Amino acid sequence: MKKTLVMLTVFALLVSMTVLCGFAEAPVEVELWTLFTGPDGVTMSSIVDKYNTSQGKYKVNHIAIDRENLYTKLALAMTTPDDLPDFFVTYSYDSARFDKLGYIKPMEEILEKYEEFDFAIDKYHDACANLNYANGKRMSVSLDFPTWGMYVNNTLAEKYCPNVLEDKILTWDEIKTVGAKLQADGIEDIKVLGGGWARNDLLATYINFAPTYVADDGETLALDKDAVEKMIDLWKECYDAGYLWEEGDDVYAMFACDELIFFTNGTWSLNAIDEYGLDYSFIASPQLNADVEPVLFGASHAFMVVNKETSDDEAKAMASFMHYFYENSIEWARAGSIVASKITAMSDEYQAMPQAFVSNNYSISNPNYVYSQTLFDVLDGLGWDGVYGNISSADFADTWEKQTIEKVSAQQ
Amino acid sequence: MRKTKWKCSTFYAWWVPILFLLPHLIAFCCFNLVPILTGIYASFTKWTLGKTPEWVGLNNYVQMFFNKDSIYYWQLRWGMESTIKFVILCVPFKILIPLILALFLSSKCRGHKTLQTFYYLPSLLSLSVVMVSWRYMFAPSGGIVNTLLSLGKLNWISVSPYNWVALIIITVWWGCGSNLVIYQSALEGVSQEILEAAEMDGANAIQKFINVTLPSISFPLQYTIVTSVIAEFGIWGQPDMFNKGGPTIEVINGVNHQSNKMIMQYIAESGFGSSGVNAGIASAMALILGATIFIVSIIQFRIMRRSDI
């Protein structure tokens, strides 16, 4: 009897120790939603996996959701908090809107609590000093600055417009001159410029004509319709003259096949362009004036913490991962990003990358309108309609403004 | 004793059927009734999902039916106009082409089983696979359609009416398999005796088809017409993935009218867009679409019953 009792006690002790050890060793899990799908999603998952294997205390579960679905899922999950992630990545310009909607909570709660990770704003790209704050609170931590610029086929540029390679700036006047010269020489299978994405191309041109589209309060749309009309007219003039691609053309294929000298696109396409095997460089998208320092259109991706109850362990897990990402941003840079982490940006490897030229030489204009996403979505819907002549530039400006205002009012 | 008997019979008469119905009733309530009632309630609110819905009464409907300054007034009109146009253009092909193919297959020609598989195969593909493939095939430069037909750079994607032609081809190709199977099985049931009798009476192939085959398959025909109309009223994925609604063809009051943007695209844009959720307007539009489909279906049934197709 005594023997059985001893054996039972030992067994019970072993079981409880095993269970306790299991609990002690189980990592704290946090869920991260990002808008990175495709190759970016693969890179982010790889960074997350490396973080998870680098230590055993915390585990990040990465869920990649495409941009539109991420917004919808967040809105839906707000009504059922169990479905919410712990933190997520989207554009930093969304932080003010999400703060108003009650989706996110200030980062300060986490960042100040775990000072060992040191998220001081001066460790990040200078633009973060504005971007990471909303309503006077630090609401986000930036990852990178996807920026809109232009890829140059160096071989064609050297042949047809060598001066552009000298000052690294292409003006609209130069597009017209080169286009006219190509036509005069009877060269029909090479176009000067191919547009990669109407929304970013037009916004990049807009900031050439007008400094902003928002009032000082950050919430009132102040679209300069005169500038919008000029922007459309300028693109249309070159399109009608035959200097640009034709409607329906595959501009990626054209650039890959030496049929475009310049091709506007984002830093995120660096790896894809690299695979074309061309001699290329990456510069600012077309400018009005070569004497003015180019300002590129960009939008920072940032971490935000969901407004829900978070345990100390979960908060520390998120801080730990964001810190890991800061320290290991070079992998993110290899995927073509302009990183927010200064420690990475100063590294030799980063400085040898094509996007380093952009971050070292140009300013990046980041949207600061609370409802930027609405403004951009409406512009996406209009696309190249103004340039292709489906609607007039005046109608384009009216439509862009009216639809944005009405859609914004539905959210207030 | 009599009381116990009554109790037993009442139990069997009422509760046993209810017990059998219960699983379905629960599923119906969870997946149909509650969402419908929530949708009806949401259509009377201003709701961004993240916050509590704000009751606005008939405001959403007033905006869509009477306020010409509202973008939703034009979205409803143009969305419904494009959808109805699509239904009218597409449904006849979705009925006729599978019917012709079924008649051809019913002749039991050599290789008819292989052909049947071949015709049905597209129905098994997912929307994204279908649209990505056809998007490449209809690409103006380098697309297989333009190359094979020597059409140069004909723009199937963003020039009317080619965008409509392309959308109809894709939808019919993708969706004719399911109707084909129904027609094949219906044709198997057509009485051979009546067909032979008609032939002996001197009826030709067309007369036999109109006077014998068609009346014999009237019920499957009615069913496929109604289901095809309902399905095409809900068209969303094909235009959304093909050209996002197509080029702008006019602008009224600061709202642009896209050539082939359907009502479901406007609903999805309002209800699930990245610009923020406007569940009130989206629900109101969806209810109007639902009511339209309901009315059209009733009219169809009435017409068919009267003409006894």
Side-chain angles (χ1 to χ4, degrees):
Chain A
M1 179 69 186
K2 205 176 176 184
K3 203 176 172 184
T4 319
L5 205 71
V6 170
M7 278 181 75
L8 272 172
T9 314
V10 170
F11 180 72
L13 269 168
L14 278 170
V15 168
S16 50
M17 276 175 73
T18 316
V19 170
L20 282 172
C21 286
F23 276 125
E25 281 175 10
V28 177
E29 291 194 26
V30 283
E31 191 165 298
L32 167 70
W33 287 4
T34 72
L35 40 58
F36 302 123
T37 50
D40 282 348
V42 174
T43 309
M44 179 53 95
S45 290
S46 152
I47 295 172
V48 168
D49 289 344
K50 281 180 186 165
Y51 167 76
N52 288 338
T53 48
S54 71
Q55 45 75 50
K57 280 170 90 178
Y58 309 113
K59 187 181 176 205
V60 174
N61 295 317
H62 174 227
I63 296 173
I65 306 167
D66 69 273
R67 187 174 59 91
E68 286 199 7
N69 279 329
L70 177 73
Y71 288 102
T72 309
K73 276 179 178 281
L74 270 177
L76 288 169
M78 283 297 151
T79 53
T80 51
D82 286 348
D83 299 331
L84 281 168
D86 296 283
F87 59 148
F88 61 91
V89 172
T90 181
Y91 294 104
S92 56
Y93 58 69
D94 282 323
S95 63
R97 179 164 68 104
F98 286 168
D99 183 33
K100 278 166 77 87
L101 288 166
Y103 286 11
I104 56 173
K105 59 183 174 185
M107 277 276 180
E108 285 150 348
E109 283 178 26
I110 293 174
L111 306 186
E112 285 169 7
K113 211 169 185 176
Y114 304 104
E115 285 176 348
E116 67 264 37
F117 295 125
D118 190 9
F119 290 96
I121 198 75
D122 57 6
K123 287 177 69 185
Y124 289 83
H125 191 291
D126 294 340
C128 296
N130 284 327
L131 285 171
N132 290 176
Y133 289 84
N135 309 319
K137 298 164 285 183
R138 183 147 181 206
M139 302 303 296
S140 60
V141 169
S142 282
L143 286 79
D144 65 352
F145 293 86
T147 301
W148 195 249
M150 188 166 63
Y151 292 89
V152 185
N153 181 323
N154 290 340
T155 316
L156 291 180
E158 209 165 308
K159 198 169 170 186
Y160 298 109
C161 44
N163 54 322
V164 173
L165 288 179
E166 283 164 22
D167 64 0
K168 300 273 185 193
I169 293 175
L170 174 73
T171 64
W172 284 98
D173 286 337
E174 283 172 326
I175 291 176
K176 291 173 198 171
T177 312
V178 177
K181 192 172 178 297
L182 286 173
Q183 285 180 353
D185 293 346
I187 301 166
E188 288 176 358
D189 53 353
I190 294 176
K191 301 288 179 186
V192 185
L193 175 70
W197 185 2
R199 159 183 147 170
N200 285 357
D201 276 318
L202 297 177
L203 282 165
T205 314
Y206 176 86
I207 57 174
N208 268 211
F209 283 108
T212 184
Y213 41 75
V214 60
D216 290 339
D217 62 2
E219 291 193 28
T220 313
L221 183 69
L223 197 64
D224 184 338
K225 292 206 299 193
D226 198 38
V228 177
E229 287 184 38
K230 282 180 186 163
M231 159 192 97
I232 293 293
D233 290 340
L234 182 60
W235 275 89
K236 192 169 178 344
E237 184 190 345
C238 293
Y239 182 81
D240 289 345
Y243 306 150
L244 314 184
W245 77 104
E246 277 178 44
E247 188 181 0
D249 279 343
D250 181 347
V251 280
Y252 286 85
M254 285 176 79
F255 189 68
C257 299
D258 288 325
E259 290 174 12
L260 284 176
I261 308 176
F262 304 101
F263 175 40
T264 54
N265 216 296
T267 45
W268 54 88
S269 295
L270 275 165
N271 285 347
I273 301 288
D274 217 25
E275 285 176 14
Y276 295 164
L278 301 169
D279 173 17
Y280 75 94
S281 49
F282 187 78
I283 62 171
S285 45
Q287 302 291 307
L288 284 176
N289 190 344
D291 301 328
V292 180
E293 189 202 337
V295 177
L296 270 62
F297 173 73
S300 167
H301 289 128
F303 291 106
M304 293 173 215
V305 174
V306 172
N307 186 15
K308 69 171 189 180
E309 215 168 291
T310 312
S311 71
D312 283 353
D313 280 343
E314 286 167 342
K316 198 168 181 180
M318 287 188 271
S320 163
F321 177 71
M322 288 188 281
H323 178 71
Y324 177 88
F325 193 92
Y326 176 86
E327 301 260 295
N328 297 278
S329 283
I330 195 69
E331 192 170 342
W332 196 237
R334 286 185 200 123
S337 293
I338 293 176
V339 290
S341 159
K342 273 188 183 168
I343 194 172
T344 305
M346 285 187 292
S347 69
D348 291 342
E349 186 182 347
Y350 181 80
Q351 285 300 320
M353 293 176 180
Q355 68 264 41
F357 175 79
V358 176
S359 49
N360 293 341
N361 292 282
Y362 302 138
S363 317
I364 302 170
S365 156
N366 278 278
N368 56 348
Y369 176 38
V370 175
Y371 301 101
S372 290
Q373 192 61 54
T374 309
L375 184 81
F376 300 161
D377 282 350
V378 174
L379 185 58
D380 251 341
L382 289 165
W384 294 115
D385 274 337
V387 178
Y388 292 157
N390 296 330
I391 56 173
S392 69
S393 53
D395 276 344
F396 191 98
D398 284 344
T399 308
W400 191 13
E401 184 187 59
K402 185 195 167 82
Q403 293 199 28
T404 305
I405 290 171
E406 197 158 343
K407 286 185 176 184
V408 165
S409 84
Q411 297 170 53
Q412 290 168 331
Chain B
M1 186 68 183
R2 186 182 284 176
K3 206 173 178 183
T4 319
K5 252 188 181 175
W6 181 87
K7 268 185 179 171
C8 271
S9 62
T10 313
F11 176 78
Y12 282 110
W14 288 93
W15 291 108
V16 171
I18 285 175
L19 277 173
F20 277 106
L21 280 172
L22 210 56
H24 175 75
L25 277 176
I26 292 169
F28 175 76
C29 287
C30 291
F31 301 113
N32 290 66
L33 193 63
V34 172
I36 288 171
L37 294 176
T38 311
I40 292 171
Y41 168 71
S43 74
F44 296 104
T45 65
K46 183 179 177 182
W47 191 17
T48 55
L49 291 186
K51 289 180 177 173
T52 316
E54 179 192 332
W55 184 263
V56 292
L58 290 169
N59 190 41
N60 291 334
Y61 292 96
V62 170
Q63 268 199 73
M64 284 190 289
F65 284 117
F66 306 108
N67 184 2
K68 286 187 179 178
D69 288 329
S70 167
I71 57 170
Y72 304 112
Y73 175 91
W74 297 104
Q75 286 186 354
L76 179 72
R77 248 146 210 81
W78 290 332
M80 286 303 283
E81 189 186 302
S82 294
T83 308
I84 291 168
K85 184 176 164 185
F86 184 78
V87 170
I88 292 169
L89 291 172
C90 188
V91 171
F93 291 107
K94 271 193 83 174
I95 302 298
L96 283 174
I97 291 175
L99 187 59
I100 293 165
L101 292 175
L103 283 167
F104 168 66
L105 291 174
S106 70
S107 67
K108 311 279 184 208
C109 61
R110 198 185 159 98
H112 72 280
K113 285 282 177 197
T114 316
L115 281 172
Q116 181 186 325
T117 314
F118 179 71
Y119 294 145
Y120 188 71
L121 212 58
S123 310
L124 302 174
L125 300 175
S126 73
L127 174 74
S128 41
V129 170
V130 170
M131 292 319 298
V132 169
S133 313
W134 278 101
R135 186 76 167 61
Y136 276 117
M137 289 201 278
F138 277 122
S141 57
I144 197 166
V145 175
N146 281 350
T147 310
L148 284 178
L149 302 175
S150 306
L151 293 171
K153 279 189 175 181
L154 185 66
N155 195 334
W156 296 90
I157 295 165
S158 49
V159 173
S160 266
Y162 309 115
N163 53 345
W164 282 92
V165 175
L167 278 174
I168 290 162
I169 290 173
I170 296 167
T171 308
V172 172
W173 177 84
W174 187 36
C176 80
S178 47
N179 283 356
L180 173 73
V181 172
I182 295 169
Y183 296 147
Q184 268 192 288
S185 97
L187 287 171
E188 292 288 330
V190 176
S191 164
Q192 288 303 311
E193 286 86 2
I194 303 175
L195 281 171
E196 279 165 21
E199 205 170 322
M200 284 171 73
D201 286 344
N204 61 25
I206 294 168
Q207 284 169 325
K208 276 196 291 179
F209 175 71
I210 291 169
N211 298 311
V212 180
T213 310
L214 217 50
S216 303
I217 60 166
S218 68
F219 181 74
L221 210 56
Q222 279 180 37
Y223 171 78
T224 50
I225 290 171
V226 173
T227 52
S228 299
V229 166
I230 292 171
E232 297 325 326
F233 260 108
I235 182 169
W236 167 72
Q238 295 96 306
D240 205 61
M241 292 185 74
F242 191 62
N243 59 8
K244 290 271 169 202
T248 298
I249 49 174
E250 63 179 323
V251 175
I252 299 178
N253 280 359
V255 190
N256 62 319
H257 179 191
Q258 285 179 261
S259 167
N260 59 265
K261 195 159 182 175
M262 311 292 169
I263 188 74
M264 279 297 286
Q265 287 177 273
Y266 287 117
I267 292 170
E269 202 175 274
S270 296
F272 308 102
S274 50
S275 303
V277 176
N278 191 350
I281 285 285
S283 302
M285 272 193 200
L287 280 176
I288 294 166
L289 175 64
T292 311
I293 295 171
F294 181 72
I295 293 165
V296 170
S297 302
I298 298 275
I299 294 169
Q300 277 181 299
F301 276 123
R302 289 252 163 109
I303 293 171
M304 285 169 184
R305 209 170 292 165
R306 215 173 284 169
S307 56
D308 195 27
I309 291 173

